[in-house]
Amino acid sequence: MQSSLEGIKILDLSRTLAGPFCTMLLGDMGADVIKVERPGKGDESRRFTPPTWNGESCYYLTSNRNKRSITVDLKSPEGREIIYKLVQDADILVENYRTGTLDKLGFGYETLNELNPRLVYCSISGFGRTGPEKNRAGYDLILQGFGGLMSITGDADRAPAKAGMSIVDLTTGMFAVYGILSALFATQKTGKGQFVDVSLLDGQIALLNHMATGFMATGKPAGRMGSAHPSIVPYQSFATKDMDIILAVANDGLWEKCCRALDWKDLLDDSRFTKNDNRVAHRTELVAIISERLITLESTEVFEKLDGVGVPCGPIHTIDQILNHPQVEAREMMIDIEHPNVKDLKVPGFPVKLSETPSNVRRHPPLLGEHTDEVLGELGYSLTQIDELKRGKVI
């Protein structure tokens, strides 16, 4: 089957995670992604270790499949000419340099738009390309703190905690895909490209969602509640005799089913807990009662009874448990990739299932500069010219 972005060419000037994750997703959908890296060094994530897999950074391996790697010195006149030639035939450019850096090098949006008016130029940054913080460097951890996420993550009596994964980088990469595809769709109608400004901060503010609106309504910022929910009870983790589980009783109907399934008729009849508003008001008492009762039960017993009546519940899996779960296998979410240095490479797959234009893996995460000769040959460079560029350390 043909992939949805087959025939689309992407010039990827991004490094580390948000940008590479974005371009990998686009590559999974069929785009030809040319990853431009520094000669001799490459993407910083190649050196983000441990862990490694046969000497290759797992961090890099996870977000760079379906790309071709070329090495180019962007500061050299010859390197600048290579980028200009690539831009003329590209549909999309993605970059995540600090504000103003690419303008100084001659690769700003205005310059490249003159070369290719149809170019969709996506700029990913920590704080956006406008505003008082536009020159500030941004990393996932910085934005988890700056953007408010850490203030609502963790237990109330503990220090603020970061999310276990690089959630700001990854979601920013996803927002970038959304913006790029929207711009590409517009280009097909108007014939004009545009500048797509995506920032870690903006994405984080969007993800605050009801927490942000709740503050605007009440003037009270949300705080840390562990796994609990500010508006629903019971909706959090509880300990059973053998493991911690999640109980998600999201409405009064489910509360009734939960109580009947677990033989908690006394709670169902207790006026303090009849409606969700009452349960929220008496959260401390109810959570204590439920905790005392669930700790005497095996998790399997709880799951069997609640699953049987449709009350949402589930285990808290470790990484090894979920990656080997039959549902993850059925959804083909861990995929095999042939790699020259890593035997049996497995990485998370594309998370969207398309019936007519499915994603596919065509290329392993490239070795540094693996496709430089190939790409320059496509641009019309002769073998002699390529050798001269190598001797001059341009590539």
Side-chain angles (χ1 to χ4, degrees), residues 147-373:
L149 175 60
M150 288 178 64
S151 74
I152 56 173
T153 304
D155 294 320
D157 59 348
R158 304 288 294 275
K162 67 179 288 292
M165 66 188 72
S166 299
I167 191 69
V168 177
D169 274 338
L170 294 171
T171 52
T172 301
M174 292 161 58
F175 281 127
V177 170
Y178 170 80
I180 287 168
L181 293 182
S182 296
L184 191 62
F185 183 70
T187 299
Q188 292 176 346
K189 293 190 294 182
T190 66
K192 297 180 180 180
Q194 61 181 292
F195 184 72
V196 181
D197 184 355
V198 183
S199 80
L200 276 66
L201 177 61
D202 293 352
Q204 182 54 54
I205 299 304
L207 291 176
L208 288 178
N209 197 260
H210 62 89
M211 296 284 192
T213 303
F215 167 72
M216 299 305 293
T218 67
K220 298 178 180 178
R224 296 185 295 283
M225 298 183 65
S227 63
H229 194 287
S231 308
I232 306 172
V233 179
Y235 195 95
Q236 64 182 78
S237 65
F238 291 94
T240 64
K241 186 181 292 186
D242 60 306
M243 67 180 299
D244 289 341
I245 68 169
I246 295 293
L247 193 59
V249 185
N251 56 53
D252 293 334
L254 290 174
W255 173 244
E256 181 176 354
K257 291 180 179 180
C258 177
C259 289
R260 294 191 185 284
L262 295 174
D263 197 23
W264 292 348
K265 190 174 183 302
D266 60 319
L267 299 185
L268 195 58
D269 295 336
D270 192 321
S271 61
R272 294 176 298 171
F273 312 135
T274 304
K275 300 295 182 181
N276 184 65
D277 286 350
N278 303 126
R279 295 193 294 276
V280 171
H282 297 280
R283 175 192 303 273
T284 302
E285 303 99 292
L286 181 55
V287 168
I289 294 170
I290 293 175
S291 297
E292 185 177 303
R293 296 184 182 188
L294 288 180
I295 197 65
T296 66
L297 303 175
E298 297 283 347
S299 60
T300 52
E301 180 182 357
V302 177
F303 296 152
E304 182 179 354
K305 291 181 177 181
L306 296 186
D307 285 341
V309 296
V311 175
C313 60
I316 299 177
H317 284 130
T318 56
I319 299 297
D320 57 311
Q321 289 171 333
I322 188 56
L323 294 187
N324 288 292
H325 195 282
Q327 182 65 17
V328 173
E329 293 179 359
R331 297 293 291 174
E332 299 180 335
M333 277 309 300
M334 291 302 296
I335 58 175
D336 298 302
I337 300 180
E338 292 186 8
H339 190 280
N341 294 341
V342 183
K343 184 180 180 181
D344 301 325
L345 175 61
K346 267 187 177 293
V347 298
F350 191 73
V352 180
K353 314 304 179 186
L354 299 167
S355 64
E356 301 303 318
T357 55
S359 66
N360 62 79
V361 175
R362 305 173 308 284
R363 297 180 182 275
H364 60 262
L367 305 180
L368 180 59
E370 182 177 350
H371 304 94
T372 301
D373 290 8

Side-chain angles (χ1 to χ4, degrees), residues 34-40 46 67-73 82 86 363 366-383 385-387 389-390 394-395:
I34 299 174
K35 182 178 179 70
V36 180
E37 303 186 70
R38 291 186 298 172
R46 290 182 181 274
K67 302 178 185 182
R68 295 191 286 170
S69 170
I70 67 172
T71 55
V72 180
D73 178 6
I82 291 172
L86 287 169
R363 297 180 182 275
L367 305 180
L368 180 59
E370 182 177 350
H371 304 94
T372 301
D373 290 8
E374 175 182 301
V375 172
L376 292 188
E378 293 171 359
L379 292 177
Y381 285 84
S382 67
L383 292 177
Q385 290 173 313
I386 293 173
D387 286 339
L389 290 172
K390 289 180 179 177
V394 175
I395 59 176

Side-chain angles (χ1 to χ4, degrees), residues 34-53:
I34 299 174
K35 182 178 179 70
V36 180
E37 303 186 70
R38 291 186 298 172
K41 293 184 177 181
D43 188 326
E44 295 98 310
S45 69
R46 290 182 181 274
R47 296 178 295 282
F48 285 0
T49 59
T52 61
W53 198 338

